[in-house]
Amino acid sequence: MISRRTLGRLAVSVATAAMLSLPHVPAQAEGSSTLTVATMWEALPLSMKPRRSRFFNESEILDTLVKLDFDMKLVPGLATSWERGSPNVWRFQLRDGVTFHDGSAFDAEAAKFSLERVIALLPYASDLLNIKEIRAISGLELEIETNEPFTALPNQLTDAITVIYGKASFDENGEFVKPVGTGPWVFKEYQKQDRTTVVRNDDYWGEAPKLEEIVYRYIPDHNARALALETGEVDFVVHLLPSDVERMKADEKFEVYAEPSAGLYYGAFNAGENSVLHDPKVRQAVNLMVDREILVKGALDGIGKPAWTFFPPEFPWAAPELSAYSFNPEKAAGLLTEAGYEKDGTTWQKDGEPLSLRILSYSSRAEMATISETMAALLQQQGIATKLEMYTWEGMLDLVKQSDYDVSVVFWTPEMNGHPDLHLKSQFHSKAGLNYQNWANPEFDALVDKGRTLEEGPEALETYAKAQEILQTDAPIIPLVHKIYVAASSENVSGYKVHPSGFFYNFKAVSKQ
């Protein structure tokens, strides 16, 4: 479990950032070997748009200006320190002596070019970064002016979407060609629906990787991915099925890594007029009818933590006084009665029609089917009829955008950048581009808008606590499971450590015997 002590408060002052500035360490190769990694998702390194450029960040081909350490605290990346010159202006001191993989220099102009390019090409980045203007003050000084006071900017600059691209990443027409960054790994080769290969950057500014090469093999079938490790076809596997974990744990030929991460599985409710979940009493009742303890055991063999709130209680911004839901069918029955439903034998109904939920999810994550099936079965036990439909992610999203659903079971990472603004703003604000739930609460909007302007401290904590209380009470979602990140390797792999964000493969310290 991620402890409060481990995560710590995100009170990252300018002074702390400067103290944590990483020294420039010349790269020194300590080994010469290839690690083969089986992944659930295809890397797609020749496009910026899929998965918001995440592979460039998690594989560390490209760096961000600011990074998150293993305590989820902000630490220097390509920026060694940062300070707020005025409420709307942040100034970043950049790392000296850094070069892109093509040999060109990294400086303030390069950072400005990359961030402006990202904002131009990816509409989501504009809302994420809230930037009015970027200025290269000098060779290693970058100034960013935001549209309003925006305390979350350094945290947002840890997001995968903000990785710094070298100019060589784009052609003469400004179109993306391939990732050229400053990270410890250099993009080498991509074979469609098969593999992406990266090699060690011997000129990396930070700690040098021990391995010489990493091959990311795309093996979407979950059983085939585990089998690939067991047969020696690959060295490392991510996203294991729960059923494979205990078997590999018992086999000394494998090392299993299982640590809490920032991920959350939850059901997003359609709060629009064409769903029975338009009524908040029904949404609250559903939250009280699903026993998360049973769900984690039944769907994930216990590999997960029952979720009763959006943020796990260990998260630094989580409000300790928040009224968490619990399994309480009696209280749920009272709420449904207040909403005009009555129980006819074993089924809740209203005006002669059974209370029924159309539940959607997607199959690219193996655990989504079992989580959705278990949730649906538990609701049926309480007298709510359910119809579960599995799609591709895109197929599910098409229906969600048309409001043609009642519940969509999804996976998100509410702690991804160590600040609550990212997901409270992008998922639940009434004007957010990703809010497909038709849920709008003006008081919640006002609190989230205010929170991003406040310095870290008691007022910010109180503001976000009130926003979380509204999210909990008005219940546009049903939190289900806080994720445990699971991976496994062969016994000859050492040095791996799970990053709590769940967004870094983190193979710099890994070696093979």
Side-chain angles (χ1 to χ4, degrees):
M1 185 174 71
I2 306 174
S3 68
R4 182 177 291 274
R5 178 183 63 79
T6 300
L7 284 171
R9 289 279 172 187
L10 297 181
V12 180
S13 66
V14 174
T16 302
M19 290 174 64
L20 290 169
S21 178
L22 299 176
H24 181 93
V25 179
Q28 293 180 352
E30 297 182 14
S32 179
S33 55
T34 296
L35 185 78
T36 303
V37 180
T39 68
M40 181 173 69
W41 308 102
E42 190 176 15
L44 299 173
L46 302 183
S47 173
M48 289 175 63
K49 293 183 180 179
R51 300 181 63 215
R52 298 172 49 227
S53 312
R54 190 169 296 162
F55 177 72
F56 306 150
N57 188 47
E58 63 189 1
S59 66
E60 297 187 279
I61 296 174
L62 278 67
D63 289 313
T64 49
L65 294 178
V66 185
K67 292 177 178 284
L68 291 168
D69 68 8
F70 282 86
D71 293 328
M72 293 291 283
K73 292 180 180 177
L74 299 180
V75 293
L78 289 175
T80 56
S81 64
W82 46 92
E83 62 181 348
R84 219 169 167 182
S86 69
N88 288 28
V89 175
W90 285 90
R91 182 168 291 187
F92 296 82
Q93 186 68 37
L94 304 184
R95 192 175 297 279
D96 194 9
V98 177
T99 58
F100 288 99
H101 298 155
D102 67 336
S104 60
F106 165 76
D107 56 17
E109 287 290 351
K112 177 177 184 295
F113 165 82
S114 179
L115 292 174
E116 289 179 344
R117 196 83 196 107
V118 164
I119 291 170
L121 292 177
L122 304 177
Y124 175 78
S126 178
D127 187 52
L128 174 74
L129 298 173
N130 200 17
I131 289 176
K132 179 180 181 181
E133 185 178 1
I134 303 173
R135 296 181 282 270
I137 301 301
S138 66
L140 295 175
E141 287 183 290
L142 184 74
E143 194 169 85
I144 298 179
E145 181 176 355
T146 54
N147 291 307
E148 59 191 344
F150 189 36
T151 57
L153 182 64
N155 293 84
Q156 308 294 56
L157 290 172
T158 70
D159 189 281
I161 204 170
T162 69
V163 287
I164 300 299
Y165 297 84
K167 286 188 176 180
S169 302
F170 306 90
D171 65 16
E172 57 187 13
N173 298 317
E175 298 295 328
F176 179 74
V177 179
K178 65 176 183 178
V180 178
T182 59
W185 302 100
V186 181
F187 170 70
K188 176 184 176 183
E189 180 187 23
Y190 166 61
Q191 295 180 27
K192 187 177 180 180
Q193 297 195 331
D194 182 39
R195 67 187 62 199
T196 295
T197 303
V198 300
V199 296
R200 183 176 58 220
N201 174 15
D202 287 324
D203 295 321
Y204 182 52
W205 55 265
E207 180 183 357
K210 292 179 170 60
L211 295 163
E212 186 175 71
E213 183 178 84
I214 299 177
V215 178
Y216 293 96
R217 288 284 313 282
Y218 172 51
I219 306 179
D221 183 89
H222 306 290
N223 293 316
R225 203 163 53 248
L227 185 62
L229 178 65
E230 293 176 311
T231 59
E233 181 183 349
V234 303
D235 306 300
F236 196 97
V237 169
V238 294
H239 299 299
L240 279 176
L241 287 175
S243 56
D244 292 323
V245 172
E246 290 304 318
R247 184 179 76 256
M248 290 190 179
K249 274 186 175 178
D251 192 331
E252 61 182 17
K253 292 186 297 184
F254 306 107
E255 183 74 26
V256 175
Y257 315 89
E259 297 288 343
S261 72
L264 172 72
Y265 301 94
Y266 70 86
F269 294 155
N270 180 2
E273 294 283 353
N274 60 346
S275 171
V276 292
L277 293 171
H278 177 67
D279 189 333
K281 292 185 185 302
V282 180
R283 300 198 297 263
Q284 294 162 357
V286 170
N287 262 285
L288 293 162
M289 285 179 159
V290 177
D291 189 334
R292 273 63 144 195
E293 298 282 350
I294 291 177
L295 189 146
V296 170
K297 292 176 183 174
L300 298 172
D301 290 346
I303 303 175
K305 183 179 178 184
W308 301 97
T309 58
F310 186 64
F311 294 125
E314 300 82 7
F315 184 55
W317 289 94
E321 67 276 14
L322 200 65
S323 304
Y325 286 102
S326 61
F327 177 57
N328 192 332
E330 293 77 17
K331 187 175 180 180
L335 286 166
L336 289 182
T337 301
E338 290 177 23
Y341 290 87
E342 60 182 10
K343 205 166 189 180
D344 180 16
T346 60
T347 305
W348 286 97
Q349 63 177 358
K350 185 177 185 179
D351 300 329
E353 294 292 327
L355 176 53
S356 178
L357 298 178
R358 184 185 181 196
I359 302 172
L360 312 182
S361 192
Y362 55 103
S363 55
S364 52
R365 285 183 179 273
E367 65 272 26
M368 301 309 293
T370 55
I371 289 173
S372 303
E373 289 165 359
T374 305
M375 184 188 76
L378 292 172
L379 288 172
Q380 288 174 10
Q381 286 180 2
Q382 298 301 321
I384 295 181
T386 58
K387 180 183 180 184
L388 174 61
E389 301 170 21
M390 300 299 294
Y391 295 90
T392 63
W393 167 256
E394 291 78 11
M396 184 198 74
L397 195 58
D398 283 345
L399 293 170
V400 168
K401 288 179 178 178
Q402 298 171 42
S403 297
D404 192 7
Y405 77 109
D406 294 305
V407 186
S408 62
V409 182
V410 297
F411 174 79
W412 289 104
T413 50
E415 306 168 39
M416 186 164 62
N417 66 7
H419 196 284
D421 179 74
L422 175 61
H423 283 284
L424 293 182
K425 179 78 173 179
S426 66
Q427 300 292 306
F428 303 116
H429 194 285
S430 62
K431 296 181 180 177
L434 297 179
N435 182 353
Y436 304 124
Q437 300 174 226
N438 306 301
W439 180 69
N441 185 305
E443 187 180 359
F444 176 87
D445 286 355
L447 289 165
V448 172
D449 288 339
K450 178 183 177 182
R452 56 173 27 199
T453 70
L454 299 174
E455 297 284 356
E456 293 173 359
E459 186 179 6
L461 287 172
E462 182 181 358
T463 300
Y464 281 117
K466 289 179 180 176
Q468 290 172 67
E469 189 65 49
I470 293 171
L471 189 69
Q472 188 79 358
T473 304
D474 214 17
I477 65 168
I478 174 173
L480 296 171
V481 184
H482 296 300
K483 181 179 176 62
I484 299 292
Y485 186 92
V486 179
S489 73
S490 58
E491 59 180 337
N492 64 340
V493 173
S494 61
Y496 182 74
K497 184 180 178 182
V498 175
H499 194 283
S501 74
F503 282 98
F504 300 100
Y505 287 123
N506 184 37
F507 290 132
K508 286 197 300 293
V510 169
S511 60
K512 284 176 64 178
Q513 295 178 344

